Amino acid sequence: MKVISLVGARPQIIKEAVVQEQLEKSGIQEILVHSGQHYDHDMSDIFFRVLKIKQPDYNLSVGSGTHGQITGKTMMAFEEVVMKEKPDVVLVYGDTDTTLAGALVGAKLKIPVAHVEAGIRQEPRDMPEEINRKVTDHVSDLLFAPSQLAVENLAREGITEGVYFVGDVMYDLFLKMKPHFNYSVIHELSLEEDGYVVATIHRDFNTDDPVRLRWILENLQELSKQLRVVFPMHPRTRKRVKEFGLEDMLTGLDVIQPLDYLSLMGLVMHCAFVITDSGGLQKEAYFCGKRALIVMPDTGWRELTDAGWNVLVDSVGTSFVPVGKLIGSNNKEPFFIQVYGEGNASSLIADVFNKSYDHV
Ligand code: UD1
């Protein structure tokens, strides 16, 4: 059996790390394609290196652009690869423009599409990632759900066939890589256990609105008077801070380059709490036993907010520092009930492939 996997952005590259290993163990041939949506060393290459992911067989080098440009260019280039390679399955991950492009190419060529992280739903509906994941789910044949809630979300939209609750490949990755977490940033910045917050902000609705971005930075600055705030800054955020003239709002924060997976996890393991708008990091914080303040109106990972572990903050103009301090000082015991599976999602995915398609 032959699978073509398409990755392009950070969160997909790291998921590929564990899936790739299991496909290989299961005797499934994998062709790996990188769209090139993320291309900076810190956003792409470094993940291949630290997670020992094989180099892509094809790099489509689409680069940045509007959603239409990224999706369109990826579709055109990926279609050629798929037509040449004639895979049994096109495998896509998550909710980026690369994901959508891959799913549409597979569906239009009538090649079964497999979606890892299917069924996640989140307001606002017009958020690019929400559009991507919804359309992807509706054209997919195999839908690998990371949670029961994701299975229910799909059922609500009439999708019940080909749905498998396998758990979250991010949990597989966490368990596999925990012994290799890199704690060097803690030493480099002379951080103290529980004496700092890890903040990441990159969603368009947070970065592209100057009022909202200022509000977030004001809060981080306020918090930095009490705790160190380590802020690995996404290139999109860096660009907007400059464009809106908000550089002064970074004074007092420990602004650093985006971190690779092992270094970010090492940093989170010893922080007081996390502030983020990343879907992945809010769960990873939980795996690390840390709570997260989520700067979003909603989350696709409601199990954690419903349980009161993570907290959403969205009221521009109000201070979220008190909520942050509360969750930082009240480190609940993780309610570990395996909502995201048992850490074997990638091997379950490989099993489904082998059962669903002839093993050539
Ligand atoms: C994308 C995904 C998002 C994911 C995130 C992880 C979409 C719609 N969104 O958002 O789901 O959580 O990746 O980071 O696909 N840039 C660089 N260097 C890079 C990559 C990006 O400078 O290597 C800058 C460019 O100015 C670019 C901007 O960041 O225009 C945004 O990049 P893009 O890939 O469009 O979206 P992300 O915000 O990264």
Side-chain angles (χ1 to χ4, degrees):
M1 181 197 170
K2 184 173 176 181
V3 172
I4 282 201
S5 307
L6 178 65
V7 299
R10 283 192 306 192
Q12 301 164 328
I13 299 168
I14 64 179
K15 290 179 183 101
E16 166 69 17
V18 276
V19 174
Q20 177 173 104
E21 187 187 6
Q22 289 302 328
L23 294 183
E24 198 178 325
K25 277 190 187 158
S26 308
I28 297 170
Q29 184 193 354
E30 187 197 31
I31 304 291
L32 178 60
V33 182
H34 192 318
S35 70
Q37 178 176 344
H38 283 177
Y39 43 86
D40 283 352
H41 175 77
D42 292 342
M43 302 288 287
S44 175
D45 291 355
I46 196 159
F47 296 98
F48 282 86
R49 186 166 60 72
V50 303
L51 299 177
K52 299 189 172 56
I53 305 170
K54 71 168 181 179
Q55 282 304 305
D57 298 289
Y58 297 87
N59 195 319
L60 310 179
S61 302
V62 301
S64 296
T66 62
H67 295 295
Q69 286 165 344
I70 297 174
T71 313
K73 282 191 202 166
T74 304
M75 281 187 74
M76 286 169 71
F78 187 56
E79 186 181 56
E80 273 186 36
V81 176
V82 175
M83 281 163 63
K84 179 172 156 221
E85 293 288 347
K86 299 186 178 39
D88 297 295
V89 174
V90 167
L91 172 62
V92 294
Y93 298 91
D95 56 18
T96 71
D97 291 340
T98 295
T99 314
L100 174 65
L104 290 176
V105 166
K108 297 263 175 168
L109 291 175
K110 302 195 193 310
I111 294 172
V113 175
H115 185 202
V116 173
E117 208 177 88
I120 296 302
R121 293 292 179 269
Q122 179 189 334
E123 296 288 339
R125 286 181 59 214
D126 63 359
M127 166 179 169
E129 288 81 2
E130 184 66 6
I131 299 166
N132 293 343
R133 54 173 88 100
K134 244 190 193 155
V135 177
T136 300
D137 283 340
H138 280 265
V139 297
S140 290
D141 301 85
L142 295 175
L143 299 101
F144 297 116
S147 63
Q148 286 295 352
L149 179 61
V151 174
E152 288 161 25
N153 290 338
L154 291 169
R156 258 193 294 278
E157 293 172 20
I159 306 175
T160 50
E161 265 182 50
V163 176
Y164 297 87
F165 168 54
V166 292
D168 191 343
V169 291
M170 297 291 288
Y171 185 42
D172 299 19
L173 183 71
F174 178 83
L175 295 178
K176 182 178 169 211
M177 293 295 167
K178 200 170 171 195
H180 308 291
F181 288 172
N182 181 343
Y183 300 95
S184 60
V185 181
I186 297 179
H187 305 298
E188 281 159 22
L189 296 179
S190 306
L191 300 168
E192 282 171 20
E193 174 97 34
D194 290 332
Y196 64 96
V197 169
V198 179
T200 76
I201 295 293
H202 76 282
R203 295 281 167 197
D204 64 352
F205 56 77
N206 280 333
T207 58
D208 296 4
D209 171 354
V211 176
R212 204 169 157 102
L213 185 57
R214 173 181 281 277
W215 165 66
I216 294 167
L217 296 177
E218 261 166 15
N219 272 280
L220 296 184
Q221 219 172 25
E222 184 61 32
L223 193 63
S224 71
K225 293 177 188 151
Q226 298 155 51
L227 283 169
R228 300 272 298 271
V229 175
V230 184
F231 190 16
M233 212 193 285
H234 187 289
R236 172 201 281 282
T237 316
R238 197 175 283 278
K239 246 170 122 175
R240 296 293 184 240
V241 166
K242 197 164 171 227
E243 192 181 319
F244 302 147
L246 297 175
E247 289 96 336
D248 285 356
M249 315 288 310
L250 302 178
T251 312
L253 311 182
D254 289 284
V255 177
I256 57 173
Q257 288 295 107
L259 293 175
D260 70 78
Y261 176 79
L262 300 179
S263 303
L264 183 60
M265 287 304 98
L267 193 60
V268 172
M269 286 296 281
H270 295 286
C271 73
F273 64 98
V274 168
I275 297 178
T276 193
D277 60 7
S278 154
L281 189 56
Q282 56 189 269
K283 258 178 309 152
E284 287 161 338
Y286 170 68
F287 300 151
C288 293
K290 301 295 173 178
R291 300 176 69 186
L293 218 155
I294 303 168
V295 192
M296 278 187 166
D298 191 15
T299 171
W301 309 99
R302 290 197 197 125
E303 303 82 6
L304 300 179
T305 45
D306 287 352
W309 181 263
N310 287 344
V311 179
L312 293 167
V313 287
D314 192 48
S315 306
V316 177
T318 60
S319 173
F320 57 66
V321 174
V323 193
K325 277 172 57 190
L326 187 71
I327 68 167
S329 59
N330 171 20
N331 262 329
K332 292 180 166 191
E333 274 301 300
F335 59 103
F336 225 91
I337 50 164
Q338 294 180 324
V339 277
Y340 301 122
E342 297 177 17
N344 59 350
S346 34
S347 77
L348 294 175
I349 289 169
D351 287 351
V352 171
F353 282 154
N354 269 331
K355 280 186 200 132
S356 306
Y357 301 99
D358 279 340
H359 198 178
V360 187

